[in-house]
């Protein structure tokens, strides 16, 4: 079966660095997405990893280790506007569930 | 493009009533998805369409739920009769191709009292 685990909540300080972890157990893994969702809004795409290693995009980076079933999202120079939920989503081969399963999200609170 | 457009943004209805949620995907996108989000269960896929054809509806909770996509620019999700446990935020999303990122609409917050 498919399962995605990520911490429910995290707190960090403005200007700091925070790492949000995601572990997954899937068969037919075919890529991992990170989405950001502010309260009351729609999820928006942040990053995509299909090969092992680090993908950097401005203040945000995402890492993937396929052998370990592990990914993390790294947020640098935290800003208050980064307070949001961060959703890890795994894409896999196969026809069910639209090819993408979402974790329940990590709610990040950035404090002054 | 204005993005994925959903209506209404908020819906409050009484138990037993029919509810219809609407979605206009991004023009040219071949895939359309309906998700439901709750605190307890997170974001769950209900059904998705490819070129207007339903591909997988295994996530639809029960027969009270139905979805249609009569053309490439419009889809509906209907709940009849609605129940309080259907209260959630319902998102519509579209993709250009299966192996690309999904773009989400702003969601419909449904409250069934």
């Amino acid at each position: 079966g498919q399962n995605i685990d990520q911490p429910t909540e995290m707190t960090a300080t403005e200007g700091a660095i925070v790492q949000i972890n995601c572990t997954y157990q899937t068969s037919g893994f075919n890529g991992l997405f990170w989405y950001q969702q502010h309260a009351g809004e729609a999820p928006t795409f942040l990053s995509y990893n299909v090969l092992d290693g680090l993908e950097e995009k401005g203040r945000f980076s995402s890492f993937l280790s396929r052998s370990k079933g592990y990914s993390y999202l790294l947020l640098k120079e935290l800003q208050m506007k980064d307070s949001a939920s961060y959703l890890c989503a795994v894409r896999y081969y196969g026809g069910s569930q639209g090819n993408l399963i979402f974790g329940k999200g990590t709610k990040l609170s950035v404090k002054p | 493009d204005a993005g994925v457009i959903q209506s209404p943004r908020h819906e409050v209805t009484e138990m037993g009533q029919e509810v219809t949620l609407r979605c206009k995907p991004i023009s040219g996108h071949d895939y359309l998805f309906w998700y439901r989000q709750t605190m307890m269960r997170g974001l769950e896929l209900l059904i998705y369409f490819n070129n207007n054809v339903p591909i997988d509806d295994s996530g639809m909770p029960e027969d009270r739920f139905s979805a249609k996509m009569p053309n490439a620019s419009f889809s509906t999700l209907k709940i009849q009769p609605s129940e309080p446990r259907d209260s959630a935020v319902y998102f519509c999303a579209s993709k250009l191709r299966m192996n690309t990122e999904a773009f989400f609409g702003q969601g419909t917050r449904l409250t069934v009292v």
Side-chain angles (χ1 to χ4, degrees):
Chain A
Q2 292 84 23
N3 189 50
I4 299 175
D5 290 313
Q6 47 181 135
T8 304
E9 294 186 55
M10 296 183 71
T11 302
T13 304
E14 190 176 17
I17 299 173
V18 71
Q19 178 174 311
I20 302 174
N21 297 325
C22 171
T23 58
Y24 61 89
Q25 300 86 36
T26 65
S27 55
F29 174 83
N30 190 25
L32 187 144
F33 294 81
W34 283 95
Y35 281 80
Q36 180 190 59
Q37 185 178 24
H38 285 100
E41 298 184 10
T44 55
F45 170 75
L46 283 179
S47 69
Y48 166 61
N49 295 71
V50 66
L51 300 175
D52 290 351
L54 190 68
E55 293 285 338
E56 297 187 79
K57 188 184 294 185
R59 294 189 298 115
F60 294 6
S61 303
S62 56
F63 172 82
L64 175 66
S65 170
R66 289 172 294 172
S67 62
K68 296 182 180 178
Y70 168 69
S71 173
Y72 67 73
L73 180 69
L74 192 70
L75 293 77
K76 303 176 185 176
E77 301 171 14
L78 279 173
Q79 302 176 9
M80 299 298 290
K81 67 178 181 178
D82 297 330
S83 293
S85 286
Y86 292 86
L87 307 174
C88 173
V90 175
R91 187 179 72 194
Y92 65 101
Y93 292 105
S96 67
Q97 294 216 25
N99 194 244
L100 195 66
I101 297 176
F102 280 85
K104 292 185 179 180
T106 299
K107 184 178 179 181
L108 174 66
S109 299
V110 180
K111 308 293 186 184
Chain B
D1 200 307
V4 177
I5 299 173
Q6 291 186 245
S7 64
R9 289 294 307 276
H10 302 273
E11 177 80 31
V12 180
T13 191
E14 291 185 346
M15 182 174 62
Q17 296 298 307
E18 176 180 298
V19 176
T20 299
L21 311 181
R22 297 172 176 79
C23 175
K24 181 181 187 303
I26 293 173
S27 177
H29 280 196
D30 289 341
Y31 291 84
L32 183 141
F33 303 81
W34 282 101
Y35 287 91
R36 177 172 67 177
Q37 188 174 40
T38 61
M39 289 292 292
M40 289 296 295
R41 301 175 68 88
L43 200 61
E44 303 174 284
L45 180 69
L46 300 177
I47 185 172
Y48 81 95
F49 296 82
N50 178 23
N51 292 323
N52 314 339
V53 176
I55 302 301
D56 185 350
D57 64 355
S58 59
M60 296 286 260
E62 47 198 273
D63 292 345
R64 297 185 297 107
F65 285 68
S66 63
K68 295 181 179 179
M69 192 166 186
N71 58 62
S73 59
F74 183 66
S75 177
T76 59
L77 178 68
K78 184 178 294 185
I79 309 173
Q80 166 63 20
S82 57
E83 296 182 2
R85 60 191 169 123
D86 301 331
S87 297
V89 180
Y90 291 80
F91 285 103
C92 176
S94 70
K95 285 185 177 184
L96 181 61
R97 295 181 297 276
M98 180 51 83
N99 292 336
T100 57
E101 74 266 27
F103 293 85
F104 284 78
Q106 290 301 301
T108 295
R109 180 173 295 276
L110 173 65
T111 303
V112 183
V113 298

